[in-house]
């Protein structure tokens, strides 16, 4: 995550204190080795110095007293060392258990504020301090906001701020590569106490950095109103909590970034005018967007978890070959294919695909993006038909042959069942058919009066505007 940490920060609290335990054991070994020798030398000196001047019985009592006192002193020293070591181990185990418990809560926590509140409460209880705080470095980097805390006056959390300069303990901590410990804020020379600490009578305390990926998130601090010497183990414990918070904060930010990216991607997929599908390695549909529904007619619930339904029977081998290429890591774009709609008609599709990979980099599926190019295909066919018709009209043909070819072209391009060509008579009273296709009546019988009775044909002739009906809804009055 890019955290800057000292070597001890990455150790457990028990590991970080091994050096101190080793010192205690060396002291015990030193006492065991040199204690008896020192008392022996003392007894030898007393015996040599006073054996001529003191009665034997008094000399014996003196020696026995010295031996008893030495034994008592030696036992007391040994007991004190063992007791100190037991207390150190007890504190260290309690701190380790607190870190472990908070770590479990961090794994289950979904809200950073809750986790921060739990962290400051844990620190204050474990270290026995009246105050604990999490300060967040503000975006401009000039101050730190009190995000969570224990013991502070009502209204401080979420509102109180501390300067990020080196004149405050928090600001000084941001520039330090290790925990900052203050035994007495009143005599501290490295920095001054900010109003937040002075107003609460803080005397001693320590603070550590809560690291971040690009810059520190902030500072974790523990403070007390009495003079206290915090140990190295205490600072290790505080840094462990700080690192735990840093990991949780970074994980939360990563999750939020991924969620935002997924939401954006999902919005793009849902709003895309092109059909988008995702298939698993077995070819079953995992995603089917609204555009795919519009193009093919199948609803999302009809296709999820099933093989792609839009593949015509005679195109399944082609589809299988394309899918296998994608699952091998290939991608392609703009491939023209033919697919099938739910009602059975075929549709021309421009297909682009790409492999999908999981977190390990293994291919876990394929995405397909499909554009309906039926309109483009029809336009291309229309252009080709019109071009052929223009060439044919230029040939030396009679009028009826030219009209017949025009009718054939119109029927093919416009996909019409019936086509008529009508010309106005010299008197301007009628529209008379001169050529027709798909009509059983003789040409002489196809006559339309140029007036209200002539309907849409007479209206189109009079206004020089097309009259169109797409077949949806009732027939317009002009066409009746």
């Amino acid at each position: 995550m890019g955290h800057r940490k000292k070597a001890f920060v990455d150790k457990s609290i028990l590991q970080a204190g091994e050096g101190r335990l080793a010192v205690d054991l060396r002291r015990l070994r030193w006492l065991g080795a040199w204690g008896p020798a020192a008392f022996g030398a003392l007894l030898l000196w007393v015996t040599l110095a006073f054996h001529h001047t003191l009665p034997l019985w008094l000399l014996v009592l003196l020696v026995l007293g010295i031996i008893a006192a030495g034994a008592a002193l030696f036992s007391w020293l040994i007991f004190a060392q063992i007791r100190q070591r037991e207390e150190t181990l007890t504190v260290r185990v309690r701190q380790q258990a607190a870190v472990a418990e908070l770590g479990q809560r961090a794994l289950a926590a979904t809200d950073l504020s809750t986790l921060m509140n739990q962290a400051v409460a844990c620190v204050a209880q474990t270290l026995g301090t009246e105050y604990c705080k999490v300060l967040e470095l503000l975006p401009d980097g000039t101050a730190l906001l009190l995000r969570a805390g224990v013991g502070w006056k009502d209204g401080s959390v979420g509102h109180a701020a501390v300067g990020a300069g080196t004149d405050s303990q928090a600001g000084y901590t941001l520039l330090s590569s290790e925990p900052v410990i203050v035994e007495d804020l009143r005599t501290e020379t490295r920095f001054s106490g900010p109003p937040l600490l002075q107003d609460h009578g803080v005397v001693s305390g320590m603070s550590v950095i809560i690291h971040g990926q690009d810059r520190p998130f902030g500072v974790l601090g523990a403070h007390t109103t009495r003079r206290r010497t915090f140990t190295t183990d205490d600072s290790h414990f505080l840094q462990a909590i700080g690192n735990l918070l840093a990991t949780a904060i970074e994980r939360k930010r990563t999750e939020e970034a991924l969620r935002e990216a997924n939401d954006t991607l999902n919005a793009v997929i849902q709003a895309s005018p092109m059909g988008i599908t995702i298939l698993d390695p077995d070819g079953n549909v995992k995603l089917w967007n609204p555009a795919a529904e519009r193009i093919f007619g199948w609803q999302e619930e009809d296709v999820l978890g099933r093989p792609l339904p839009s593949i015509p029977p005679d195109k399944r081998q082609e589809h299988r070959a394309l899918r296998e290429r994608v699952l091998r890591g290939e991608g392609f774009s703009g491939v023209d294919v033919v697919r099938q709609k739910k009602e059975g008609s075929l549709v021309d599709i421009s297909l682009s695909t790409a492999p999908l990979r999981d977190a390990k980099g293994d291919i876990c599926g394929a995405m397909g993006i499909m554009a309906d190019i039926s309109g483009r295909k029809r336009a291309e066919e229309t252009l080709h038909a019109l071009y052929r018709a223009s060439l044919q009209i230029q040939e030396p043909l009679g009028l009826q042959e030219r009209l017949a070819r025009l009718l054939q072209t119109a029927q093919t391009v416009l996909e019409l069942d019936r086509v008529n060509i009508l010309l106005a008579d010299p008197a301007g009273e009628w529209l008379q058919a001169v050529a027709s296709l798909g009509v059983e009546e003789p040409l002489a019988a196809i006559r339309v009066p140029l007036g209200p009775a002539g309907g849409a044909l007479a209206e189109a002739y009079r206004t020089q505007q097309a009259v169109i009906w797409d077949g949806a809804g009732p027939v317009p009055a002009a066409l009746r």
Side-chain angles (χ1 to χ4, degrees), residues 31 104 151 415 418:
L31 288 174
Q104 291 296 323
E415 299 180 354
R418 296 185 302 169

Side-chain angles (χ1 to χ4, degrees), residues 171-409:
Y172 186 88
T173 302
L174 290 176
L175 300 178
S176 303
S177 57
E178 57 187 18
V180 175
I181 300 176
V182 177
E183 291 192 9
D184 194 334
L185 189 61
R186 296 165 296 187
T187 59
E188 180 60 53
T189 59
R190 294 172 295 177
F191 42 79
S192 60
L196 178 65
L197 300 184
Q198 294 178 357
D199 293 346
H200 290 82
V202 168
V203 175
S204 299
M206 59 179 176
S207 53
V208 298
I209 297 177
I210 302 175
H211 296 279
Q213 185 173 18
D214 301 321
R215 67 171 194 164
F217 172 82
V219 172
L220 173 65
H223 307 276
T224 179
T225 56
R226 63 187 184 279
R227 185 181 176 88
R228 173 175 170 180
T229 301
F230 290 97
T231 66
T232 303
D233 292 334
D234 293 335
S235 66
H236 291 165
F237 165 71
L238 190 65
Q239 186 66 74
I241 298 296
N243 292 342
L244 190 151
L245 284 176
T247 302
I249 291 168
E250 189 60 34
R251 186 190 66 193
K252 185 66 174 179
R253 287 178 172 176
T254 301
E255 290 174 353
E256 290 176 351
L258 287 175
R259 184 163 49 251
E260 182 179 349
N262 286 335
D263 291 344
T264 301
L265 178 59
N266 185 62
V268 171
I269 290 175
Q270 296 300 312
S272 173
M274 292 183 288
I276 298 178
T277 62
I278 291 179
L279 305 180
D280 64 18
D282 296 326
N284 296 319
V285 178
K286 295 178 62 178
L287 184 143
W288 183 265
N289 77 333
E293 294 180 348
R294 291 192 298 270
I295 294 173
F296 299 107
W298 283 282
Q299 299 299 307
E300 183 181 31
E301 58 269 19
D302 299 332
V303 299
L304 289 183
R306 301 175 182 177
L308 202 62
S310 57
I311 310 300
D314 60 335
K315 299 294 184 180
R316 289 173 183 171
Q317 185 62 36
E318 172 195 78
H319 168 69
R320 187 179 300 109
L322 292 176
R323 183 165 58 86
E324 290 176 354
R325 286 175 55 188
V326 176
L327 294 178
R328 289 196 299 267
E330 297 183 44
F332 47 87
S333 62
V335 176
D336 289 353
V337 295
V338 176
R339 294 294 179 256
Q340 184 172 312
K341 295 185 178 183
K342 183 178 181 179
E343 39 84 9
S345 64
L346 300 180
V347 57
D348 292 304
I349 295 293
S350 177
L351 176 65
S352 300
T353 66
L356 298 178
R357 301 180 184 272
D358 58 20
K360 297 180 180 179
D362 298 329
I363 295 176
C364 60
M367 172 181 281
I369 301 176
M370 299 164 290
D372 183 352
I373 58 172
S374 299
R376 190 191 77 188
K377 288 284 189 179
R378 285 195 298 269
E380 291 175 354
E381 293 173 358
T382 299
L383 289 176
H384 288 305
L386 292 176
Y387 176 70
R388 290 194 300 270
S390 66
L391 293 179
Q392 293 172 354
I393 290 175
Q394 296 176 20
E395 296 177 2
L397 303 173
L399 177 60
Q400 289 301 320
E401 182 65 21
R402 291 189 179 187
L403 292 177
R405 291 193 179 187
L406 283 175
L407 289 175
Q408 185 65 49
T409 300

Side-chain angles (χ1 to χ4, degrees), residues 395-479:
E395 296 177 2
L397 303 173
L399 177 60
Q400 289 301 320
E401 182 65 21
R402 291 189 179 187
L403 292 177
R405 291 193 179 187
L406 283 175
L407 289 175
Q408 185 65 49
T409 300
Q411 187 180 49
T412 302
V413 171
L414 300 178
E415 299 180 354
L416 301 175
D417 296 327
R418 296 185 302 169
V419 186
N420 295 312
I421 297 178
L422 297 92
L423 298 179
D425 69 335
E429 297 179 356
W430 300 91
L431 289 175
Q432 179 65 53
V434 295
S436 65
L437 188 63
V439 179
E440 296 180 357
E441 295 90 337
L443 293 179
I446 304 175
R447 175 183 290 188
V448 177
L450 288 175
L457 292 176
E459 180 69 15
Y461 177 80
R462 186 183 66 81
T463 62
Q464 303 295 300
Q465 298 292 329
V467 178
I468 301 174
W469 178 51
D470 58 7
V475 179
L479 293 177

Side-chain angles (χ1 to χ4, degrees), residues 85-136:
R85 186 178 66 171
E86 289 178 347
E87 290 178 352
T88 300
L89 278 173
T90 300
V91 171
R92 197 170 299 127
V93 169
R94 185 170 67 250
Q95 293 175 349
Q96 184 75 14
V99 173
E101 181 181 358
L102 188 63
Q104 291 296 323
R105 293 181 179 180
L107 291 176
T110 58
D111 180 65
L112 284 180
S113 296
T114 300
L115 180 61
M116 289 181 186
N117 290 332
Q118 293 173 345
V120 293
C122 172
V123 170
Q125 181 179 5
T126 305
L127 295 179
T129 59
E130 298 97 313
Y131 304 106
C132 184
K133 67 180 186 295
V134 171
L135 296 174
E136 180 182 1

